[in-house]
């Protein structure tokens, strides 16, 4: 008997067996529908659009093509076609951004039962503000590239930084998302920042305030909380957390709009795996915080904070005699 005949013989399912089994689908669908309709489970069963995550990620890709022309597109750019290329990219970005902003605002209004806020007109006004800010964002990113080249001897040139440094990628997305936060756009900034996190393992809340010449070296595990203030020319290494102290279970809503995360002043360096917590904690200008430090108190300017060096103990391994 051939293999096909054997498979046919063993894989046939008796229809009588199926008929005796209870169909699990109707019961499951009914239970899921009941849970979602009850309002106790989060869902989007609403007659309004919601931002599409893949479209928001597409906006990130497009803003990269605008802010770093020639790096992330197949088009070969020259001085004589640059304006045409930018005009096309910015026009597409403007329309797509307005569409996603409108969906975010409409969803937010419907979810919170707000009166009409002319979301269509507002979305284009906000999108126009973002477009007009692109040159300023690009200037800030140039300072971030300069900081990377200054702070990392392994960075060969700006091309390498733009193409491959996760810190610059996360910072680029942060700078666009932060502007959207300032313009009170719901949902989109966090979608952007979470995409950056999944790409880089760098988690920057878009509400944080970060100055110029910002450099994240290596980057994985960096966490920057929502109310963090970071000055100019600050350098962070991998695993740094700028977070909040643990709160009582019922304090979340009460403290939502209070400062919970630290302030890092100008020209500070924070080495790997250091944790700095608390809204009243200030790291003074030009200070250096060593690796693996746990800090919940303020540090004056021009201060070094280091863990006391641990004593390493070396043991010689015994060599077994060969038989």
């Amino acid at each position: 008997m051939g293999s096909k005949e054997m498979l046919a013989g063993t894989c046939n399912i008796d229809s009588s067996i199926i008929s005796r089994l209870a169909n699990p689908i109707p019961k499951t669908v009914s239970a899921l529908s009941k849970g979602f309709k009850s309002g106790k489970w989060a869902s989007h069963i609403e007659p309004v659009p919601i931002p599409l995550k893949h479209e928001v990620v597409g906006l990130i890709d497009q803003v990269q093509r605008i802010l770093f022309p020639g790096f992330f597109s197949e088009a070969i750019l020259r001085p004589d076609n640059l304006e045409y290329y930018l005009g096309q990219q910015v026009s597409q970005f403007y329309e797509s951004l307005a569409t996603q902003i409108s969906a975010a605002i409409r969803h937010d209004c419907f979810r919170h039962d707000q009166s009409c806020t002319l979301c269509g007109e507002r979305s284009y006004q906000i999108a126009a503000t973002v477009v007009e800010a692109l040159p300023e964002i690009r200037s800030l990113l140039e300072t971030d590239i300069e900081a990377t080249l200054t702070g990392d001897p392994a960075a060969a040139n700006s091309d390498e930084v733009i193409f491959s440094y996760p810190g610059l990628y996360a910072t680029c997305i942060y700078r666009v998302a932060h502007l959207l936060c300032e313009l009170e756009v719901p949902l989109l900034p966090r979608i952007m920042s979470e995409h950056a996190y999944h790409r880089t393992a760098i988690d920057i809340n878009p509400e944080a305030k970060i100055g110029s010449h910002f450099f994240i070296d290596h980057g994985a595990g960096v966490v920057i909380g929502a109310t963090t203030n970071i000055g100019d020319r600050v350098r962070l290494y991998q695993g740094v957390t700028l977070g909040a102290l643990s709160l009582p279970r019922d304090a979340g809503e009460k403290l939502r709009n209070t400062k919970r995360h630290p302030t890092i002043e100008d020209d500070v360096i924070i080495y790997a795996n250091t944790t700095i917590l608390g809204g009243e904690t200030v790291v003074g200008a030009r200070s250096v915080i060593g690796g693996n430090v746990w800090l919940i108190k303020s540090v004056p300017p021009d201060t070094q904070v280091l863990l006391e060096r641990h004593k390493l103990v070396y043991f010689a391994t015994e060599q077994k005699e060969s038989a």
Side-chain angles (χ1 to χ4, degrees):
M1 181 183 295
S3 59
K4 290 185 177 179
E5 288 80 3
M6 291 179 65
L7 287 172
T10 57
C11 292
N12 284 339
I13 299 175
D14 191 340
S15 59
S16 63
I17 296 176
I18 299 175
S19 64
R20 291 197 301 269
L21 294 174
N23 186 346
I25 296 174
K27 182 179 179 181
T28 301
V29 170
S30 176
L32 288 171
S33 297
K34 183 178 179 180
F36 290 126
K37 290 178 181 178
S38 71
K40 296 179 180 179
W41 298 353
S43 65
H44 180 72
I45 310 169
E46 301 171 354
V48 294
I50 194 170
L52 300 175
K53 185 171 182 178
H54 72 274
E55 293 287 347
V56 178
V57 173
L59 289 171
I60 292 170
D61 295 338
Q62 192 150 40
V63 84
Q64 271 196 299
R65 292 194 292 271
I66 293 168
L67 298 178
F68 303 107
F71 283 92
F72 301 103
S73 62
E74 296 180 0
I76 297 175
L77 299 182
R78 301 179 300 274
D80 56 348
N81 69 357
L82 178 60
E83 287 196 20
Y84 172 81
Y85 168 83
L86 288 174
Q88 182 185 50
Q89 293 293 324
V90 173
S91 296
Q92 292 173 358
F93 176 74
Y94 175 52
E95 291 292 338
S96 299
L97 179 61
T99 299
Q100 296 307 311
I101 291 173
S102 177
I105 294 174
R106 290 179 67 186
H107 167 76
D108 202 52
C109 288
F110 193 90
R111 177 60 60 90
H112 297 101
D113 196 26
Q114 298 173 354
S115 58
C116 179
T117 57
L118 302 174
C119 60
E121 182 179 346
R122 281 180 61 207
S123 65
Y124 274 94
Q125 290 174 344
I126 294 170
T129 300
V130 174
V131 166
E132 290 170 354
L134 289 177
E136 181 181 353
I137 291 174
R138 184 58 183 85
S139 293
L140 270 175
L141 288 170
E142 192 64 24
T143 71
D144 301 327
I145 294 170
E146 292 173 7
T148 305
L149 293 171
T150 300
D152 185 4
N157 49 57
S158 59
D159 293 352
E160 187 173 282
V161 174
I162 293 168
F163 269 129
S164 58
Y165 271 56
L168 182 69
Y169 183 80
T171 302
C172 176
I173 294 175
Y174 155 76
R175 296 209 182 277
V176 176
H178 178 68
L179 177 58
L180 290 171
C181 273
E182 289 186 322
L183 296 170
E184 299 182 347
V185 176
L187 290 177
L188 299 192
R190 288 309 298 266
I191 294 174
M192 290 181 171
S193 65
E194 289 308 306
H195 174 72
Y197 169 71
H198 285 291
R199 277 280 303 269
T200 66
I202 297 170
D203 187 0
I204 307 177
N205 190 295
E207 294 184 22
K209 297 178 181 178
I210 301 176
S212 69
H213 298 83
F214 183 55
F215 173 37
I216 301 175
D217 200 352
H218 304 295
V222 167
V223 177
I224 301 174
T227 60
T228 304
N229 289 339
I230 298 177
D232 297 334
R233 298 174 299 280
V234 169
R235 186 190 313 173
L236 308 181
Y237 285 81
Q238 69 273 16
V240 167
T241 296
L242 305 178
L245 292 164
S246 180
L247 303 172
R249 290 180 180 271
D250 60 348
E253 193 62 37
K254 296 177 182 177
L255 300 179
R256 188 174 301 278
N257 297 316
T258 62
K259 191 170 187 334
R260 308 178 305 281
H261 306 90
T263 295
I264 312 299
E265 295 184 345
D266 296 346
D267 300 293
V268 168
I269 299 174
I270 305 175
Y271 282 97
N273 301 317
T274 282
T275 297
I276 303 175
L277 305 178
E280 296 182 1
T281 304
V282 178
V283 177
R286 300 171 300 281
S287 291
V288 176
I289 311 300
N292 299 299
V293 169
W294 176 275
L295 191 64
I296 58 174
K297 294 182 179 180
S298 293
V299 173
D302 302 296
T303 302
Q304 287 191 1
V305 179
L306 306 173
L307 278 178
E308 186 175 354
R309 186 182 297 275
H310 292 285
K311 181 180 179 181
L312 298 179
V313 180
Y314 297 85
F315 296 92
T317 57
E318 296 182 1
Q319 299 293 327
K320 292 184 179 180
E321 295 184 3
S322 57

